[in-house]
Amino acid sequence: DVESDQREDLEKGIAEVKPAEYVVKPDIKNFADYGVSLRIPPEWEAMVDEFSIVGPQIAVIGIHPPGVDQLSAGAILRLSVIVEDVGREQMTLLEYKEKSKEYAMSMGAGGGMPMMAPPEITKDCSVNLGQFQHTLEYTQNFPIPGQAASLPLPYKFMNLMTLHKGLAYVLQYMARSDKFHEYLDAATNIAETMVIEDLPPRPLSLLEFISAPHGLKISVPETWSWVKENKDMGDGRTLVVSFMSGSSNKPDGISVYKLNAPCDTPKALAKQYQSIVASQGEIHAKEGGIVHFTYNADGKVVVVYCRAEYVIECRAEGQRVTHHNQEDGLLCTVLGSIEAVSPQEGGRSTCRYINKHWRFAFDINANSKLLEHKWGSTSITYVPVEQETQEQDVPIFTIEVNQEEEHYPDLKAVEAKIMSGNDLNTPLKDKKIETCRGREYLSFVLSRDEQMHPWAPREEFRSKVLITLRGRESVMLKWEVAANEWKRYERYLSAILDSMEVFP
C-alpha cells in the first residue's frame, strides 16, 4: 500500500545518510599575506611557488591534485592563483584583461619559443563566478619537451580574473586539451569558493625631493619619478621640478612651478597663471588655502592646483585623459607638503626614496625607475639609469629584508652560514667586512652565466652583495649588471652606497 511504500522509502533514505565523520569536507588553506582563502578537495596541496613569481606579481599559489605526474612529457597540468600588484598602473579590469591577452599573444608570436603559432582566443567575456568577474580562455600548441621532431600538443588555458584594492587576482587552469575536462569542475569549484579579503594597511613610502637652487622640499608618492628641474620657462614662471607617474598604462606628467611675480591670494595666483597659459575657467576654493581650475591644452584637460607662490599642473601623457593622481586629494597633499629649506647656490638637488615600513632610504637619479613590492615580497627594485631599448643591459639594484629563523650574533656568523651552503661552482669573490655610512656589511661578488633567450648566446652577469643585521632581520643589498658593463656603471653603485641609510 501507499503508506508502506512511503515508510520503506524513508527507511532507505535514512540508511543512505552517512555519519558525520564520513562526510567529505574540503580543506581550507589561508594565505593571509595575500588576502586569499582557498577551499580545496581533500589530499590536494596548495603552497606559494616563489620560483614562479615574475615582474609585479607578489604571489603564485600552486594548487596540486594528488597523483598527477607534473614531470612526464606532455602531461603538464597547472592550477594556480596569481596575485599581481596593479595599483601603480591604475588599471580597470578590462584593461588588465587586455594586457593579459597581449602578453599571451606575444608569447605565441615568437616571444616564448621561435616559430610557435599564436594562441587562439576561445572565450573573452564577463562572468559571475564567486568573486571573479571575467574569463579569458585560449588554446595554444606546445612542443613536447625533449621531442622537437614530434607534433606539438594542444593545451587549453582558462584565466578567471578580478581586481580588489589595487591587486589583480587570477585563477589560471592549464591542461592538455584532451585532459582539460578532468579537473575543470574542481578548478571551477575552487574559483567559486575562493575568498579575497583586504590586506592590512602599512606605512606609505615616499620620495623627498630637495631643490637646492629654490630652497624647498617636496614629498611625493614613491610611484613617481623625477624628470627635470630648475628651468626658466620665459613666461613669468620657473619650473621647480617635474615628475612622471609610474603608470605605463596611464602616465601623467606632474610639474611644480614657482611664479616670478608674488601674489596676495591663492585666487590671484590662479588668475595670473591663467593669463600665462591663456586660459579661462571657474576657480574653485579647496581646504588649506588651495584653489583649483582646469584648462584644455593639445586636446587634453590639464588640472591645476595653486597655493602660496606654487602651482602644480597635472596633464595626461598617455592617450587617455585620466588624471588618476588627482584622486583622494593627492595633488593637494603634495602641494601642502612643500616647505622651505636652506637654499644652496650652485648646490645639487636630491631626490631621496624613504621606505617607512622596512626602514631604509637612499638617493635616486632623475629618469630612474623604482618598483616597491608592497605585499608578499619584502623587496624593492631600482634601475638607476634610463633604459632606452629593450636590448640595453642596465644595472639592477635590489634591497630585501628578511626575518631570520635563527639569531646571528654578528656578520661572521652570517658568513659561516653562507659558506656552509655555498655551491662550490659559484665561489664568493672579494669577500670582506666593509662600512657604509657607519654600518657594517658583509660583502662579496658573484658571477653567473645566463642565456636570456633560447636563441641568444650565454652572457656573464656579475653581482655585488652586501648584508647587514638589524636585530632578527637581515637587510641584503644586491647590485647586478652584465659583466662587460661593470666598469661603466660602477659609479652608480658607489653613489647608492654613499647615500644608503638602514634605520634601527
Side-chain angles (χ1 to χ4, degrees):
D1 60 353
V2 174
E3 185 176 346
S4 61
D5 288 343
Q6 289 176 340
R7 187 183 302 109
E8 183 179 346
D9 290 340
L10 178 61
E11 291 172 349
K12 181 179 179 181
I14 293 173
E16 289 179 348
V17 175
K18 296 180 180 179
E21 60 266 29
Y22 293 107
V23 175
V24 176
K25 295 182 180 180
D27 289 336
I28 298 177
K29 303 290 185 181
N30 291 315
F31 298 88
D33 289 344
Y34 315 108
V36 173
S37 179
L38 296 172
R39 297 170 66 89
I40 61 176
E43 299 184 6
W44 284 44
E45 294 182 349
M47 62 189 71
V48 176
D49 182 1
E50 296 180 354
F51 297 101
S52 297
I53 298 172
V54 295
Q57 294 175 356
I58 66 171
V60 177
I61 303 170
I63 307 170
H64 308 288
V68 175
D69 184 3
Q70 298 280 0
L71 301 179
S72 63
I76 299 172
L77 174 143
R78 183 180 302 152
L79 178 59
S80 56
V81 174
I82 301 167
V83 187
E84 184 173 340
D85 186 352
V86 295
R88 186 185 186 94
E89 296 291 342
Q90 297 289 319
M91 288 186 181
T92 65
L93 180 59
L94 290 180
E95 288 168 347
Y96 179 77
K97 180 266 298 182
E98 286 299 319
K99 175 191 169 187
S100 301
K101 184 192 293 187
E102 289 171 8
Y103 178 77
M105 298 300 288
S106 69
M107 290 299 289
M113 297 180 183
M115 307 303 293
M116 194 165 69
E120 179 184 350
I121 306 297
T122 57
K123 186 178 289 187
D124 180 358
C125 62
S126 59
V127 295
N128 184 18
L129 186 65
Q131 291 181 259
F132 292 100
Q133 300 170 293
H134 202 96
T135 185
L136 176 65
E137 300 177 22
Y138 52 88
T139 58
Q140 174 77 69
N141 292 333
F142 288 101
I144 301 176
Q147 302 181 30
S150 64
L151 292 174
L153 289 174
Y155 282 80
K156 290 186 68 174
F157 290 78
M158 177 180 73
N159 299 276
L160 295 166
M161 308 175 182
T162 192
L163 297 185
H164 181 78
K165 300 293 181 68
L167 297 175
Y169 292 82
V170 180
L171 186 137
Q172 184 180 81
Y173 171 48
M174 179 195 84
R176 218 170 67 185
S177 294
D178 59 339
K179 302 286 187 181
F180 189 80
H181 65 281
E182 293 183 1
Y183 291 98
L184 180 59
D185 287 346
T188 303
N189 288 336
I190 291 171
E192 192 168 21
T193 57
M194 176 174 145
V195 177
I196 300 172
E197 298 178 340
D198 293 351
L199 292 176
R202 56 190 290 182
L204 295 176
S205 300
L206 58 90
L207 299 183
E208 194 175 78
F209 179 82
I210 297 179
S211 172
H214 295 279
L216 58 86
K217 181 172 67 175
I218 308 172
S219 298
V220 305
E222 99 286 343
T223 56
W224 294 6
S225 59
W226 70 290
V227 183
K228 55 188 176 182
E229 59 145 344
N230 195 31
K231 178 183 178 182
D232 188 341
M233 304 301 293
D235 55 9
R237 56 181 174 160
T238 299
L239 174 68
V240 177
V241 61
S242 63
F243 300 93
M244 185 70 71
S245 71
S247 172
S248 59
N249 182 53
K250 304 172 182 176
D252 284 349
I254 303 100
S255 300
V256 180
Y257 295 100
K258 182 177 182 180
L259 268 60
N260 300 339
C263 297
D264 295 332
T265 65
K267 188 171 183 179
L269 179 70
K271 286 186 173 295
Q272 183 175 336
Y273 196 83
Q274 284 184 333
S275 66
I276 291 173
V277 296
S279 72
Q280 293 180 348
E282 187 176 357
I283 298 172
H284 304 276
K286 302 181 74 70
E287 294 182 1
I290 295 175
V291 296
H292 157 67
F293 69 92
T294 61
Y295 71 95
N296 293 316
D298 302 323
K300 297 176 181 178
V301 177
V302 182
V303 181
V304 179
Y305 288 83
C306 307
R307 177 178 178 268
E309 55 189 315
Y310 300 107
V311 175
I312 286 187
E313 187 180 89
C314 178
R315 63 174 67 203
E317 298 293 339
Q319 295 301 312
R320 305 174 184 84
V321 180
T322 58
H323 300 296
H324 59 265
N325 288 291
Q326 187 185 169
E327 295 176 4
D328 301 320
L330 179 55
L331 291 181
C332 291
T333 301
V334 171
L335 193 55
S337 76
I338 297 177
E339 61 179 273
V341 296
S342 299
Q344 301 176 25
E345 191 68 33
R348 186 178 69 90
S349 297
T350 60
C351 190
R352 191 161 185 79
Y353 165 67
I354 302 173
N355 188 308
K356 294 185 176 181
H357 185 70
W358 295 112
R359 308 188 310 282
F360 58 79
F362 62 93
D363 292 347
I364 66 170
N365 296 335
N367 298 300
S368 60
K369 288 186 178 179
L370 187 143
L371 175 62
E372 178 183 303
H373 299 271
K374 292 185 178 298
W375 312 108
S377 170
T378 59
S379 67
I380 67 102
T381 303
Y382 170 58
V383 179
V385 296
E386 186 174 11
Q387 187 173 14
E388 297 176 354
T389 65
Q390 286 293 109
E391 293 75 24
Q392 179 186 355
D393 285 324
V394 294
I396 298 176
F397 179 70
T398 57
I399 302 180
E400 187 171 317
V401 181
N402 292 303
Q403 296 284 343
E404 298 295 342
E405 294 181 357
E406 56 184 289
H407 175 66
Y408 297 105
D410 52 34
L411 291 173
K412 288 293 184 182
V414 176
E415 179 183 354
K417 179 69 173 180
I418 292 174
M419 294 304 296
S420 66
N422 186 52
D423 185 354
L424 296 178
N425 294 321
T426 55
L428 309 185
K429 302 175 183 177
D430 196 21
K431 182 160 54 68
K432 60 186 176 183
I433 302 293
E434 61 179 284
T435 302
C436 299
R437 293 194 68 158
R439 177 177 283 273
E440 287 191 338
Y441 293 82
L442 168 66
S443 70
F444 51 86
V445 175
L446 289 170
S447 295
R448 63 178 176 86
D449 289 339
E450 183 172 329
Q451 189 176 18
M452 302 303 291
H453 303 286
W455 55 90
R458 298 191 71 83
E459 188 174 2
E460 181 187 355
F461 286 83
R462 189 177 302 167
S463 304
K464 179 165 183 175
V465 179
L466 300 98
I467 301 173
T468 189
L469 294 174
R470 185 174 58 187
R472 295 298 292 264
E473 293 178 340
S474 67
V475 182
M476 184 184 74
L477 320 180
K478 183 179 179 182
W479 173 265
E480 184 172 75
V481 68
N484 61 350
E485 298 282 9
W486 183 269
K487 288 292 183 183
R488 176 184 177 187
Y489 292 118
E490 199 167 16
R491 61 188 176 92
Y492 290 94
L493 173 60
S494 298
I496 293 172
L497 297 181
D498 287 344
S499 69
M500 173 63 64
E501 285 185 277
V502 177
F503 305 118

